[in-house]
């Protein structure tokens, strides 16, 4: 049977939502691995950033509506997600993870995760189902798994210090590779936290997706 993977998107666009290239690469690789995928997003508003200038516009939009751009309309409110329906969970990066899924961008180590997103991610952790966090989404690992969880955001010493302050164990990693917390079945990759090209980002993302699928298959019996 094909593995069923949930993907949480945080909008559409690196500066105020899900990183588009990371999200599309994730969805492509999942399809190549024969997985059934359902995208989810929180139905909350966010402050829009002009991706040409990098400046906020003063406009507000809905994360769920914007995520539908990436998912080609096939996205559901994260409150509809049930851990029992899926074999694994992946959250691409982008500033939306630090602004819309959490308030990491403004509060750093004192951040909190959106309750609906946290509840779903914790359910996957409790069920010992694999989770993949890429780019800045890995900053949420300590909130999901608690202290001593191992993760990576690449080789940025400043960000690593914040992650360690949150109780996680940060492991430096090249953009084209992954870090796995074997005990917790958590896989992380730096993606555009370190990648200088889409090919470099894709190399790490593909490894993350492949590993999440492999863990899901091992944990749920033969395909």
């Amino acid at each position: 049977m094909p593995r069923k993977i949930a993907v949480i998107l945080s909008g559409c666009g690196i500066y105020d939502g899900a990183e588009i290239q990371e999200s599309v690469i994730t969805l492509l690789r999942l399809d190549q691995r024969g997985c059934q995928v359902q995208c989810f997003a929180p139905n909350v508003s966010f402050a829009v950033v002009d991706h040409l200038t990098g400046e906020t516009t003063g406009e507000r939009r809905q994360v769920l509506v914007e995520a539908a751009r990436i998912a080609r309309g096939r996205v559901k409110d994260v409150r509809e997600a049930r851990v029992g329906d899926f074999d694994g969970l992946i959250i691409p990066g982008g500033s939306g993870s630090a602004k819309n899924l959490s308030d990491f961008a403004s509060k750093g180590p004192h951040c909190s995760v959106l309750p609906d997103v946290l509840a779903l991610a914790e359910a996957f952790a409790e069920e010992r189902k694999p989770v993949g966090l890429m780019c800045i989404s890995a900053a949420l690992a300590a909130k999901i798994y608690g202290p001593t969880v191992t993760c990576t955001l690449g080789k940025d010493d400043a960000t690593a210090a914040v992650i360690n302050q949150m109780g996680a164990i940060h492991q430096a990693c090249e953009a084209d590779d992954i870090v796995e917390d074997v005990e917790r079945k958590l896989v992380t990759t730096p993606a555009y936290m370190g990648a200088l090209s889409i090919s470099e980002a894709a190399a790490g993302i593909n490894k993350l997706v492949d590993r999440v699928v492999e863990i899901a298959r091992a944990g749920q019996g033969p395909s």
Side-chain angles (χ1 to χ4, degrees), residues 35-208:
C35 296
Q36 293 181 5
V37 180
Q38 176 61 59
C39 291
F40 294 94
N43 191 15
V44 296
S45 67
F46 69 97
V48 176
V49 175
D50 184 325
H51 279 58
L52 186 61
T53 66
E55 301 294 327
T56 56
T57 67
E59 179 186 1
R60 296 194 69 85
R61 298 181 186 173
Q62 294 299 117
V63 173
L64 182 61
V65 173
E66 292 300 295
R69 295 176 181 271
I70 295 176
R72 294 173 59 86
R74 295 188 289 272
V75 61
K76 296 180 179 180
D77 190 319
V78 71
R79 289 177 293 183
E80 298 181 40
R82 299 291 180 268
V83 65
D85 295 336
F86 298 97
D87 303 305
L89 170 69
I90 296 177
I91 307 180
S95 294
S97 285
K99 294 179 177 180
N100 306 333
L101 303 187
S102 73
D103 52 11
F104 180 78
S106 59
K107 296 186 178 180
H110 308 294
C111 71
S112 59
V113 181
L114 198 68
D116 292 327
V117 173
L118 181 61
L120 181 62
E122 286 181 332
F124 274 88
E126 290 168 4
E127 292 288 331
R128 297 190 57 77
K129 293 183 177 182
V131 173
L133 303 175
M134 62 188 67
C135 196
I136 195 63
S137 294
L140 310 183
K143 296 297 181 178
I144 298 168
Y145 292 92
T148 74
V149 62
T150 299
C151 62
T152 190
L153 282 92
K155 306 180 86 172
D156 185 308
D157 290 339
T159 308
V162 175
I163 298 307
N164 290 334
Q165 187 178 348
M166 294 170 68
I169 299 172
H170 184 270
Q171 183 173 319
C173 179
E174 299 294 339
D176 61 356
D177 209 351
I178 59 175
V179 166
E180 180 179 351
D181 186 315
V182 176
E183 180 182 352
R184 294 174 173 86
K185 298 186 178 180
L186 171 67
V187 187
T188 54
T189 189
Y192 275 114
M193 286 294 290
L196 300 178
S197 69
I198 188 171
S199 295
E200 190 177 12
I205 293 168
N206 287 343
K207 288 179 182 178
L208 179 147

